Amino acid sequence: MSTPAPHPTADHPHPAATLKRRWPTALAVVVIVFNLAASGSEDLADAVGSQGEILPLLPLIYLMVNQLGRPRYTWPVLGAGLVAVFGLGAQDAVAPSTVLVAFAAVLLAWGTVRGTPNGRATFGAQAVGAVLFCGLALAGLAVDPDLGRYLVAAGWFFHGVWDFVHLRLDKVVSRTFAEFCGLIDVFVAVQLLFLV
């Protein structure tokens, strides 16, 4: 005689409820699978170049949302940033990383002069993050791809840690974005480290 499947309870919620609550993780898994499929034939130099060009977008999102003072704007800012990165990547006049770093510098100047809705301490932390992550991206793009891989991977990995700290603190960006971005960032770092 078989025992019936247990009914969802507080200890064992229904899978649909779990998926609804963990949709950022599910979306991150979809993006990771797509990324794996798309980058299968990418060599080291191309991988370091493409991930290095995108890396400055991550602290830029935090800076922009911090200056807007509304975490609910995180996903639209990500969407606009992705359009900018891929649009800039389609032309050969200027590297996406150059535009992203320049825009981050403008936001840093804006926050320094005009102030910030989340206070000086939070702005200061975002400024340090922007300098660190943009610096790792630019350094990784400037050196040989064998060394660049480690610099860009470090940027992605430590930004993943940054995301999880912000998720825990529930500060600056939306929690759903911090969860989603943290998983992707760590995956990209690992992928760069294990490229042959």
Side-chain angles (χ1 to χ4, degrees):
M1 178 189 245
S2 66
T3 56
H7 291 290
T9 64
D11 292 336
H12 303 295
H14 193 276
T18 301
L19 181 60
K20 182 178 178 185
R21 194 177 78 251
R22 301 268 47 122
W23 70 264
T25 297
L27 181 59
V29 169
V30 169
V31 170
I32 288 167
V33 168
F34 177 75
N35 189 23
L36 275 173
S39 64
S41 62
E42 199 172 38
D43 70 0
L44 179 61
D46 289 341
V48 170
S50 64
Q51 299 304 343
E53 290 293 337
I54 296 170
L55 179 57
L57 176 62
L58 306 178
L60 181 59
I61 292 168
Y62 275 79
L63 277 174
M64 176 61 83
V65 174
N66 184 66
Q67 286 308 105
L68 294 171
R70 292 191 167 48
R72 70 176 181 259
Y73 293 149
T74 307
W75 288 97
V77 169
L78 169 65
L82 289 172
V83 167
V85 165
F86 291 109
L88 288 166
Q91 51 79 45
D92 289 331
V94 62
S97 59
T98 303
V99 174
L100 295 173
V101 170
F103 193 55
V106 168
L107 286 174
L108 288 172
W110 174 26
T112 301
V113 172
R114 299 283 317 260
T116 177
N118 292 323
R120 287 280 178 208
T122 300
F123 177 73
Q126 299 311 312
V128 168
V131 169
L132 173 69
F133 300 123
C134 289
L136 284 168
L138 294 176
L141 291 167
V143 299
D144 179 82
D146 287 326
L147 174 58
R149 135 193 355 223
Y150 298 106
L151 295 170
V152 173
W156 281 90
F157 178 78
F158 287 116
H159 196 273
V161 172
W162 185 264
D163 289 319
F164 291 126
V165 167
H166 282 79
L167 175 65
R168 176 90 170 134
L169 297 175
D170 195 13
K171 288 193 138 215
V172 182
V173 296
S174 72
R175 290 180 55 79
T176 56
F177 173 80
E179 178 182 333
F180 165 81
C181 189
L183 293 168
I184 290 176
D185 293 357
V186 171
F187 169 78
V188 169
V190 170
Q191 184 182 27
L192 279 169
L193 291 177
F194 288 102
L195 272 174
V196 188

